[in-house]
Amino acid sequence: MQEKKRKRILITGAAGFLGSHLCDHFIQQDFHVIGMDNLITGDIDHIAHLFKLPNFEFYHHDVSKFVHVPGDLHYILHFASPASPIDYLKIPIQTLKVGSLGTHNLLGLAKSKKARILVASTSEVYGDPLVSPQSEEYWGNVNPVGPRGVYDEAKRFQEAMTMAYHNTHQLETRIARIFNTFGPRMRLHDGRALPTFISQALKGKDLTVFGTGLQTRSFCYVTDQIDGICKLLFSDYALPVNIGNPDEMTLLDMAKEIIELTGSSSKIVFEELPVDDPKQRRPDISKAKTLLNWSPRVSRKEGLEKTIAYYKTFFNS
Ligand SMILES: NC(=O)c1ccc[n+]([C@@H]2O[C@H](COP(=O)([O-])OP(=O)(O)OC[C@H]3O[C@@H](n4cnc5c(N)ncnc54)[C@H](O)[C@@H]3O)[C@@H](O)[C@H]2O)c1
């Protein structure tokens, strides 16, 4: 019998939080999925269940070095990059390299395979924003030489390089500006507020709120994020699109909500605000609504309950 001709998709950062959910999604959609990761921040356990499948392959590879994938490729999702402050402050040069050299390598691969590529950008391209909510037309307020500059500028370069390939080589490119996302498999000890709060609450430790806690964030549940990314991939829109949940709240309120939902007896303690920590973060998702017919569907409470239930299994085992 002839082997079924599946569409082939390369997912970089496959062993990470978002990458592993994307691998699951495209396996469910009956694609041939090629995962690639150097495991610098990822966890192979996130994709271990896929290894037995004939339509899944994995390459342990650093995408900042030349990337070769034999055979056809129809789509590339470039998600490889350290993504949290603790990671990119520890490995600043690798962070800059994967956003610049890694992106260049993958754009070159997309060009040679005539594949469509979507790159994972971030709300951090807006830096510490002077306007709220942030629409795609806002150019941002980034300190290039501050500690967060290694991530923010790598992502800004990634967007510029992606647009250059689109304009120069007519490559089919997509840019997702991803806002804070949470859910099962996110890294708990990565310096981001929400996973840290969950981990502290489940361990019965005090929740550390930086500054006054009045700085805001907006959190999107992972299934909504994956849905938005897929809708953008299959759209015909090449300019950046915000994907996130505009449900904005202060970090202090988030800490209180997590204490309540976990039933923890933890208290809240305050520590000094890190350098260049954004004071507000809220996506304007008008573009995603109009162009992609996408908006988040999972409420914060439902998402938090699912996430807490997932992590409870680890803490109780
Ligand atoms: N999670 C979020 O809230 C969020 C928000 C904005 C943007 N993003 C972007 O989404 C992408 C994925 O983020 P995540 O939260 O899943 O992070 P993650 O750390 O869980 O996953 C990133 C993966 O990339 C891999 N990786 C890093 N450098 C690599 C390299 N040079 N070669 C091959 N693999 C490499 C890591 O090992 C890891 O598995 C990143 O590009 C990030 O900037 C995420």
Side-chain angles (χ1 to χ4, degrees):
M1 204 165 61
Q2 217 188 350
E3 206 208 325
K4 190 173 166 193
K5 264 281 185 224
R6 294 184 166 101
K7 292 281 185 201
R8 290 165 58 86
I9 186 164
L10 169 67
I11 301 177
T12 76
F17 167 44
L18 295 179
S20 64
H21 283 282
L22 286 165
C23 288
D24 283 344
H25 175 84
F26 282 98
I27 287 286
Q28 278 158 20
Q29 298 297 311
D30 206 25
F31 278 60
H32 186 94
V33 175
I34 301 155
M36 189 174 280
D37 205 296
N38 67 352
L39 302 178
I40 195 163
T41 62
D43 184 346
I44 202 77
D45 284 350
H46 291 339
I47 47 171
H49 58 287
L50 302 176
F51 277 70
K52 57 182 183 297
L53 302 177
N55 55 328
F56 183 75
E57 290 174 63
F58 179 71
Y59 288 79
H60 186 192
H61 181 69
D62 177 350
V63 301
S64 300
K65 305 204 169 107
F66 180 75
V67 180
H68 171 68
V69 174
D72 290 343
L73 270 185
H74 302 96
Y75 300 101
I76 298 175
L77 297 178
H78 178 29
F79 276 65
S81 170
S84 74
I86 282 198
D87 291 332
Y88 56 73
L89 296 179
K90 226 185 304 170
I91 42 174
I93 295 172
Q94 288 93 326
T95 304
L96 280 158
K97 281 171 82 172
V98 73
S100 54
L101 305 178
T103 301
H104 186 218
N105 286 337
L106 289 155
L107 287 165
L109 182 68
K111 180 169 173 270
S112 74
K113 302 281 186 184
K114 298 187 173 49
R116 180 181 295 183
I117 179 168
L118 179 148
V119 298
S121 186
T122 169
S123 53
E124 301 299 328
V125 298
Y126 301 121
D128 187 3
L130 303 176
V131 301
S132 190
Q134 295 85 53
S135 79
E136 291 84 348
E137 279 66 43
Y138 178 55
W139 294 348
N141 176 38
V142 171
N143 173 5
V145 294
R148 302 172 76 102
V150 296
Y151 182 65
D152 303 2
E153 294 296 358
K155 292 292 185 177
R156 287 168 72 96
F157 178 90
Q158 175 181 62
E159 289 197 7
M161 180 67 103
T162 301
M163 282 316 295
Y165 263 72
H166 176 75
N167 292 328
T168 311
H169 298 302
Q170 288 70 53
L171 191 68
E172 287 201 47
T173 57
R174 306 287 178 264
I175 300 173
R177 284 194 184 148
I178 300 170
F179 281 66
N180 286 126
T181 302
F182 73 102
R185 299 186 193 153
M186 67 183 174
R187 286 156 61 79
L188 279 191
H189 309 289
D190 70 358
R192 282 183 281 201
L194 189 147
T196 308
F197 289 162
I198 293 181
S199 150
Q200 289 170 327
L202 289 177
K203 287 182 187 156
K205 290 190 174 165
D206 291 343
L207 274 65
T208 335
V209 168
F210 294 110
T212 56
L214 297 181
Q215 63 276 35
T216 65
R217 298 290 183 272
S218 310
F219 296 99
C220 182
Y221 190 62
V222 63
T223 51
D224 282 333
Q225 183 60 247
I226 300 298
D227 185 38
I229 289 164
C230 294
K231 285 199 164 135
L232 176 59
L233 176 67
F234 297 116
S235 76
D236 57 5
Y237 192 73
L239 287 167
V241 179
N242 288 340
I243 311 279
N245 193 327
D247 175 23
E248 184 181 23
M249 73 185 309
T250 68
L251 288 179
L252 185 57
D253 285 341
M254 172 58 81
K256 289 179 185 161
E257 194 165 312
I258 287 174
I259 288 177
E260 193 186 312
L261 288 173
T262 50
S264 168
S265 54
S266 303
K267 305 265 174 305
I268 292 173
V269 293
F270 294 86
E271 282 188 13
E272 206 178 318
L273 199 64
V275 182
D276 297 335
D277 193 51
K279 283 179 259 326
Q280 51 187 2
R281 194 52 97 233
R282 178 173 181 230
D284 176 338
I285 57 165
S286 317
K287 232 176 214 167
K289 278 186 178 161
T290 325
L291 294 170
L292 314 177
N293 192 23
W294 175 86
S295 48
R297 286 182 301 189
V298 180
S299 71
R300 186 177 69 233
K301 182 160 182 279
E302 187 187 343
L304 280 174
E305 281 170 351
K306 286 186 175 159
T307 309
I308 289 166
Y310 172 84
Y311 283 105
K312 266 190 176 160
T313 60
F314 289 91
F315 284 85
N316 295 336
S317 60

